[in-house]
Amino acid sequence: MESEEFKRLFIPLADKLYRIVRRLVDNDEEAKDIIQDAYLKLWEIRDQLREIENREAFCVRLVKNQALDYLKSARYKNACDSISGDMAQEIPQTEKNADPLSEMIRTENGAIVSKLIEHLPQQQKELIRLRHYGECSMEEIVGLTGISAGNVRTILSRARKKIKEEFEKIFEYEHR
Amino acid sequence: MNTDELNRLLEKFYDGETTREEELKLERFFSSEPIPAHLQVDRELFLSMKKHDSQIEVPQELSGMLSDLIDRCEAEDAQTLSAPKGFSIRFKAFTQQFRFYSAAASILILLGLSLTLFKMNDTRPRDTFSDPMEAYLETQRILSYVSKNMQAGEKAVALYDTNLKKVHQVLEEKRIIE
């Protein structure tokens, strides 16, 4: 596959792939790096890519894998420790065409919930990110993490209950 | 969605049992319909756990950056391919030889390591004296040291014993007087 064909087929997917990675890793620079690495990998196997039926699904899987590797890496743990949740606190941009007040509340709650997720144990944090931010199906999570479906459910349940418990305290305090 | 179904889905959600479809159903419900007050927390939590695409801004330079990356890779590939043929054959022969030697070296290293480790783990007692007379003298020395210490211990115990007897005697006398 020549570079022109490669670019024509894969560059248009970049925005979508970036969004997927960015949802999972919460950091612009890391997301960019992950995408670049993914494109390098794609380029290396470019001759086999013709045989792949669903290129987009293949790329999505590839970047999710790379993002998960990053979340498991020492680099990510160091980033979490040194910035101590600054990234998690980062307030996302508000959605357009929505009621500004409810949007502001949502944004604020979003930041609180991100922070609560950051404080979960490593495995719970990973699965919550994959499920809620990465919108991964159960099969995908099992494939990506190698954890059995039963265990994924247990870990997700524990994490969700924990987040709810903590969130409830904050929410009730704010609405007293 | 009626209350029963909502409660059932929420329970499933916190038990980690919901499918993606069911979670989407909850999401649609929470973002559209007015909900009872006691579910306010669940609603806020549920909607806050999602990241919307519109919250993520794709860097403008991304496509250009990736395009440059591919160009660079292609240029590098072209360079490796255009290397002189003689070189590539020699290189191949070298790598084959290298493979053989590296395999041989690994086996040697493994052998060496296993021998060293085996020796390190060997805890069998070893003879420390070659001359039997010397060994006999050393044993005697150790035994006399032990006996000397034991004698000292015996003396202390004897002293304690006499003291105890005295106390006992006094107590006995006192009892008789009373």
Side-chain angles (χ1 to χ4, degrees):
Chain A
M1 194 185 286
E2 295 296 316
S3 72
E4 285 312 312
E5 190 189 358
F6 181 88
K7 285 187 200 168
R8 186 172 52 76
L9 291 175
F10 292 99
I11 300 264
L13 300 175
D15 280 18
K16 185 184 173 164
L17 297 176
Y18 178 84
R19 286 207 166 91
I20 292 172
V21 173
R22 181 61 181 73
R23 274 196 231 158
L24 286 167
V25 305
D26 245 347
N27 178 325
D28 292 332
E29 285 309 310
E30 289 296 347
K32 262 202 270 183
D33 283 354
I34 290 170
I35 291 291
Q36 290 207 59
D37 284 350
Y39 272 77
L40 278 179
K41 281 223 165 90
L42 286 172
W43 174 253
E44 277 165 20
I45 54 163
R46 61 190 176 281
D47 291 327
Q48 298 149 38
L49 290 174
R50 275 212 192 84
E51 292 151 28
I52 289 165
E53 256 175 60
N54 191 343
R55 285 192 201 94
E56 189 174 319
F58 179 81
C59 294
V60 167
R61 201 182 151 78
L62 176 72
V63 295
K64 277 183 178 170
N65 242 322
Q66 308 257 93
L68 187 68
D69 282 347
Y70 167 70
L71 291 178
K72 285 181 172 165
S73 70
R75 203 151 46 108
Y76 170 66
K77 278 169 201 147
N78 288 342
C80 280
D81 292 346
S82 61
I83 313 177
S84 77
D86 268 9
M87 279 192 271
Q89 261 182 331
E90 183 185 306
I91 293 175
Q93 293 167 332
T94 50
E95 230 176 310
K96 284 140 201 131
N97 308 324
D99 166 21
L101 181 67
S102 70
E103 202 42 56
M104 206 177 80
I105 295 168
R106 181 82 7 89
T107 312
E108 206 172 287
N109 285 337
I112 293 169
V113 170
S114 308
K115 190 122 188 138
L116 293 177
I117 292 173
E118 281 315 307
H119 283 91
L120 290 173
Q122 182 64 21
Q123 211 176 32
Q124 294 185 14
K125 184 158 65 180
E126 259 170 45
L127 294 194
I128 286 285
R129 275 176 174 275
L130 285 175
R131 181 65 165 192
H132 288 267
Y133 293 171
E135 297 178 353
C136 295
S137 67
M138 183 57 84
E139 295 76 47
E140 260 184 304
I141 297 179
V142 171
L144 285 166
T145 59
I147 303 170
S148 73
N151 283 343
V152 171
R153 284 191 206 101
T154 315
I155 297 166
L156 274 179
S157 165
R158 242 177 246 155
R160 283 170 179 167
K161 282 177 181 160
K162 179 81 190 152
I163 297 170
K164 185 183 173 178
E165 190 189 309
E166 296 294 321
F167 183 73
E168 218 160 22
K169 283 185 209 155
I170 299 170
F171 192 81
E172 270 158 19
Y173 179 79
E174 281 179 349
H175 291 79
R176 260 198 318 212
Chain B
M1 204 189 314
N2 62 36
T3 326
D4 283 349
E5 194 185 358
L6 181 63
N7 286 338
R8 188 182 60 83
L9 279 185
L10 268 179
E11 197 176 315
K12 267 182 93 177
F13 173 73
Y14 288 113
D15 285 340
E17 306 276 353
T18 34
T19 61
R20 276 295 314 155
E21 289 67 39
E22 286 169 326
E23 283 167 27
L24 284 174
K25 206 170 173 184
L26 276 172
E27 196 181 302
R28 273 197 300 274
F29 172 79
F30 277 141
S31 29
S32 58
E33 293 175 49
I35 50 141
H38 72 279
L39 290 177
Q40 198 66 26
V41 180
D42 296 291
R43 175 178 185 248
E44 286 307 319
L45 179 66
F46 200 89
L47 296 180
S48 305
M49 280 174 93
K50 189 184 158 61
K51 283 213 171 162
H52 297 276
D53 276 350
S54 56
Q55 293 171 334
I56 295 166
E57 205 175 327
V58 179
Q60 284 179 341
E61 72 278 12
L62 188 70
S63 303
M65 204 174 69
L66 292 173
S67 183
D68 290 348
L69 181 77
I70 300 307
D71 288 340
R72 273 206 307 279
C73 287
E74 196 179 36
E76 273 171 31
D77 287 356
Q79 249 179 1
T80 6
L81 282 177
S82 63
K85 219 172 181 177
F87 170 77
S88 101
I89 289 167
R90 258 185 292 142
F91 184 69
K92 214 173 169 186
F94 171 73
T95 48
Q96 270 168 2
Q97 266 186 346
F98 182 74
R99 231 181 257 169
F100 171 75
Y101 285 122
S102 58
S106 330
I107 291 171
L108 277 177
I109 291 172
L110 277 177
L111 214 70
L113 261 179
S114 57
L115 277 175
T116 324
L117 285 176
F118 177 72
K119 269 192 184 161
M120 272 164 63
N121 286 335
D122 190 8
T123 50
R124 282 177 300 182
R126 267 181 221 90
D127 287 341
T128 35
F129 292 95
S130 46
D131 181 6
M133 193 57 203
E134 214 179 313
Y136 172 74
L137 286 175
E138 182 65 17
T139 315
Q140 212 173 32
R141 197 180 65 77
I142 291 167
L143 286 176
S144 75
Y145 174 74
V146 171
S147 95
K148 205 169 85 188
N149 279 331
M150 209 141 111
Q151 273 169 6
E154 264 173 5
K155 267 182 206 159
V157 172
L159 184 71
Y160 170 77
D161 199 40
T162 35
N163 283 340
L164 198 70
K165 269 184 192 148
K166 275 183 199 159
V167 172
H168 204 71
Q169 213 176 346
V170 171
L171 284 175
E172 192 74 10
E173 277 165 11
K174 218 176 173 193
R175 198 174 63 90
I176 293 166
I177 294 163
E178 276 172 4

